[in-house]
Amino acid sequence: MESSHIKNSDKSENTQNLVITGSSGWLSSNFLFHLNEIKHHKNIIIHKVSSQNYKDQFHEITKKRLKDIIFIHNGFMRAEALKNENYKNSFKNQANINLKFILDFLKNNNIKSMFYPSSGSVYKLRNIDKTIYRDYSEQKLIEENEFIKIANENKFDLLITRVFSSIGPFMTNHLNFALGSFISQALEDKRIIIESSTNDKYSYISLKNLSNLIIGFTFNREKMNIRKFDVFDENLSILELANKIASKLHIDDLQYDFDDKKDKQFYLGNNSEYLDFLRDLSIERESLDNAITNTIDTFKNN
């Protein structure tokens, strides 16, 4: 288990303990980056719980009897893993084992606030959510309900965001996503080829905006209670996303062959509550254009 400190000049405030799972993932990497950028009036000790031996790591944290823990739960199950038929058979069982340990951790520790990223997959808007990702979609709903139940019982703040698609630096498995694939093609081949046969449309969020929302909620001194809503900044079709990347990287060769006879898929949410909450927390939103530019820059640097 890793621990690191974020310090500032104010030594009078108490130490704040933050426990985070999935710390090497796309969302957590952005969250930790933006957490380092802001100035808190307290010292923050970050306890990173990795997917390996996580049971022992949770037990070690519990033994310390920490006060007012901020818990960021971004691990452990991924929808994409269900494309592997061998893994699909064990997914439900492992997900339930993981959930039990998380619930035990929440019950046996002094939790101040918690963040949990759910998914737009719960709405089953796409064919893949109704078929290959079905177990993932249903597990997300189970976990939402369990976390809401225990937050009510133990009276800690809980933020659940349903994420559809996201844009930001520190991308993992970038070729599995249209965004990463388009940027890689543009930088390496000086062209972009859209493999999809339909010009599907998705709701995208800047991971900077999401990170600042999580920070604004979990570190808030006021009682935040339980909030659950969709999060996104803009709706983009696959072609619109490819065009934005092509424009930024001056790519003229953009190829696609959409089949008009096939139905487009729309993976879209409702962001009204998200936008209202950002305003309540006085969080300034980054544009998706800036998020794309920052993502491209990290690809260039790596």
Side-chain angles (χ1 to χ4, degrees), residues 202-218:
Y202 300 85
S203 291
Y204 286 92
I205 186 166
S206 153
L207 286 176
K208 178 178 180 178
N209 294 339
L210 180 55
S211 298
N212 286 331
L213 174 68
I214 299 166
I215 293 166
F217 179 93
T218 56

Side-chain angles (χ1 to χ4, degrees), residues 58-119:
F58 277 128
H59 287 150
E60 285 300 311
I61 293 173
T62 299
K63 278 168 34 178
K64 294 178 181 178
R65 312 308 300 170
L66 304 175
K67 294 182 179 179
D68 294 333
I69 294 171
I70 291 174
F71 182 45
I72 308 297
H73 182 35
N74 292 335
F76 298 101
M77 312 299 284
R78 294 181 58 86
E80 293 81 12
L82 287 168
K83 293 178 180 178
N84 182 333
E85 201 63 37
N86 294 328
Y87 182 75
K88 189 172 182 179
N89 295 330
S90 63
F91 177 91
K92 194 72 175 176
N93 182 54
Q94 188 60 54
N96 287 330
I97 292 172
N98 291 348
L99 177 58
K100 181 183 182 302
F101 272 92
I102 298 300
L103 293 174
D104 286 345
F105 174 77
L106 294 173
K107 290 175 184 175
N108 294 312
N109 286 274
N110 186 335
I111 308 297
K112 174 186 177 288
S113 60
M114 175 181 175
F115 168 71
Y116 174 67
S118 188
S119 170

Side-chain angles (χ1 to χ4, degrees), residues 47-64:
H47 309 267
K48 298 180 181 179
V49 179
S50 64
S51 58
Q52 294 181 338
N53 300 320
Y54 66 90
K55 303 170 190 177
D56 294 336
Q57 295 170 65
F58 277 128
H59 287 150
E60 285 300 311
I61 293 173
T62 299
K63 278 168 34 178
K64 294 178 181 178

Side-chain angles (χ1 to χ4, degrees), residues 37-246:
E37 282 192 329
I38 66 173
K39 292 182 180 179
H40 293 295
H41 298 295
K42 61 180 70 177
N43 294 330
I44 302 173
I45 300 179
I46 301 174
H47 309 267
K48 298 180 181 179
V49 179
S50 64
S51 58
Q52 294 181 338
N53 300 320
Y54 66 90
K55 303 170 190 177
D56 294 336
Q57 295 170 65
F58 277 128
H59 287 150
E60 285 300 311
I61 293 173
T62 299
K63 278 168 34 178
K64 294 178 181 178
R65 312 308 300 170
L66 304 175
K67 294 182 179 179
D68 294 333
I69 294 171
I70 291 174
F71 182 45
I72 308 297
H73 182 35
N74 292 335
F76 298 101
M77 312 299 284
R78 294 181 58 86
E80 293 81 12
L82 287 168
K83 293 178 180 178
N84 182 333
E85 201 63 37
N86 294 328
Y87 182 75
K88 189 172 182 179
N89 295 330
S90 63
F91 177 91
K92 194 72 175 176
N93 182 54
Q94 188 60 54
N96 287 330
I97 292 172
N98 291 348
L99 177 58
K100 181 183 182 302
F101 272 92
I102 298 300
L103 293 174
D104 286 345
F105 174 77
L106 294 173
K107 290 175 184 175
N108 294 312
N109 286 274
N110 186 335
I111 308 297
K112 174 186 177 288
S113 60
M114 175 181 175
F115 168 71
Y116 174 67
S118 188
S119 170
S121 179
V122 301
Y123 298 117
K124 297 182 180 177
L125 301 171
R126 303 170 296 176
N127 291 332
I128 196 170
D129 298 313
K130 300 170 186 174
T131 54
I132 296 172
Y133 289 175
R134 185 183 63 190
D135 287 344
Y136 172 83
S137 306
E138 293 174 355
Q139 185 66 26
K140 281 293 185 182
L141 284 174
I142 290 170
E143 294 182 1
E144 283 184 12
N145 291 331
E146 289 293 334
F147 295 144
I148 289 171
K149 179 181 176 183
I150 195 169
N152 276 317
E153 291 173 350
N154 290 19
K155 296 183 171 28
F156 60 78
D157 295 336
L158 171 63
L159 174 63
I160 296 175
T161 61
R162 287 177 170 172
V163 181
F164 291 77
S165 298
S166 52
I167 295 176
F170 315 119
M171 206 171 178
T172 53
N173 301 318
H174 56 270
L175 293 180
N176 289 341
F177 303 96
L179 173 68
S181 174
F182 295 162
I183 295 174
S184 295
Q185 289 183 63
L187 291 175
E188 296 171 12
D189 304 326
K190 307 303 179 187
R191 67 178 182 182
I192 296 175
I193 301 174
I194 300 176
E195 300 290 347
S196 174
S197 59
T198 52
N199 190 23
D200 303 332
K201 199 163 193 175
Y202 300 85
S203 291
Y204 286 92
I205 186 166
S206 153
L207 286 176
K208 178 178 180 178
N209 294 339
L210 180 55
S211 298
N212 286 331
L213 174 68
I214 299 166
I215 293 166
F217 179 93
T218 56
F219 283 90
N220 205 298
R221 294 183 179 181
E222 297 180 7
K223 185 68 179 171
M224 291 282 102
N225 298 311
I226 297 172
R227 304 294 296 266
K228 178 178 72 174
F229 47 77
D230 300 345
V231 287
F232 72 90
D233 295 301
E234 190 177 340
N235 295 325
L236 294 174
S237 70
I238 292 175
L239 182 56
E240 287 171 332
L241 178 64
N243 273 321
K244 282 180 177 290
I245 294 167

